[in-house]
Structure formats: structure tokens, C-alpha cells
Amino acid sequence: MTNNSIEHLGIVESVRENQLSVRIVQTSLCASCHAKGYCSSADKQDKLIDVNDADAASYRVGERVMLIGETSMGVMAVALPFFFPFVLLVVALFLFMSRTGSELLSALLSLGVLVPYYVLLWLNKARLKKRFSFRVKPINN
């Protein structure tokens, strides 16, 4: 693994013309802890990732593969739904507070500013899906 890539071990779940569905097990750091049985924060879940690949037909269901993505994808995957809306919320709150003087009204208006932001993200999901794409590499056993 290079410094600017993210790798996940996965298993091919389905193969279509030029697309693979790969199941990865996403674990938090807690899930590998020896005390996870005594802690309620340990968490582990399966994710299905769709990968566009011209050589998809060369893979078989059940085959182990390595999913490879860029580190910048991870940063943007956190920034778009969490960091940018938080900054937008705080800026809007201060702007509305300076204009209205009412905390309740400012809070409601600030929350309302998030609605168009998330609608804009939803409308651009096809473009974002292209930007957040993984490559797949076979694992030679």
C-alpha cells in the first residue's frame, strides 16, 4: 500500500457486464481490541461496493480481491457530509444572530441552510459516484 492509497480486502459478491459488487468488512479500531466483548463501542459492519471495471468478467463470485482507492477520496468523503455543513451551520448561525438577535430564529434558519446543501449533494450523486470510485486488483493465492 502506498501512502496515497486506501486498500480494503474484499470478496466478489456479484459480477455484471462491466461492474463488480465487492463485500468488504469495515471495522472500527475497537473491533480488533481484546476488550471488545466488554465494551459497547466495538463495531463491525459489511459494506457492498460497486466497482466499474472493463475486466469484470474475469472475476468470479467468492474470489478475494483488493479494492484500491485514493486517500483524497477518504478526505472528501468526510469533508462533504460533515465538515463543510458544520462550517456552513456555524457561519450561518453567527450571520443570522447578528441580523435577527433571536437565538431560536437564528438556530432554525441556520438549520434551514443545510437543506439546500444536502439537496445539492443528492442532486450531484451521479457525479460524486464517479469521483469516489475504487479500482479492483486480484489477490493471487
Side-chain angles (χ1 to χ4, degrees):
M1 179 164 85
T2 63
N3 289 339
N4 59 352
S5 68
I6 302 168
E7 293 184 358
H8 284 284
L9 183 63
I11 298 173
V12 176
E13 288 290 314
S14 68
V15 179
R16 292 179 291 278
E17 293 177 14
N18 290 328
Q19 189 176 48
L20 300 167
S21 286
V22 179
R23 180 175 305 281
I24 63 170
V25 176
Q26 185 178 23
T27 59
S28 69
L29 292 176
C30 298
S32 60
C33 177
H34 70 281
K36 70 181 177 185
Y38 304 105
C39 179
S40 64
S41 64
D43 126 286
K44 176 177 156 181
Q45 60 189 136
D46 289 349
K47 299 273 185 186
L48 267 180
I49 308 292
D50 291 328
V51 180
N52 292 324
D53 190 337
D55 296 329
S58 66
Y59 294 95
R60 302 287 169 243
V61 173
E63 183 177 354
R64 294 176 59 203
V65 294
M66 187 65 70
L67 285 178
I68 304 167
E70 301 301 316
T71 307
S72 61
M73 284 182 357
V75 172
M76 286 305 290
V78 171
L80 285 173
F82 302 113
F83 179 73
F84 294 143
F86 174 74
V87 170
L88 184 63
L89 182 76
V90 171
V91 169
L93 181 63
F94 281 108
L95 284 174
F96 288 132
M97 275 296 295
S98 69
R99 298 285 186 223
T100 65
S102 168
E103 291 179 7
L104 178 61
L105 180 60
S106 297
L108 292 174
L109 290 172
S110 296
L111 288 172
V113 167
L114 294 179
V115 172
Y117 177 81
Y118 284 113
V119 167
L120 190 64
L121 279 183
W122 182 75
L123 290 173
N124 286 298
K125 67 182 172 185
R127 187 184 312 169
L128 290 171
K129 192 171 188 176
K130 288 178 187 174
R131 181 177 169 101
F132 294 109
S133 61
F134 284 92
R135 295 184 318 274
V136 66
K137 179 175 78 171
I139 295 177
N140 299 328
N141 294 334

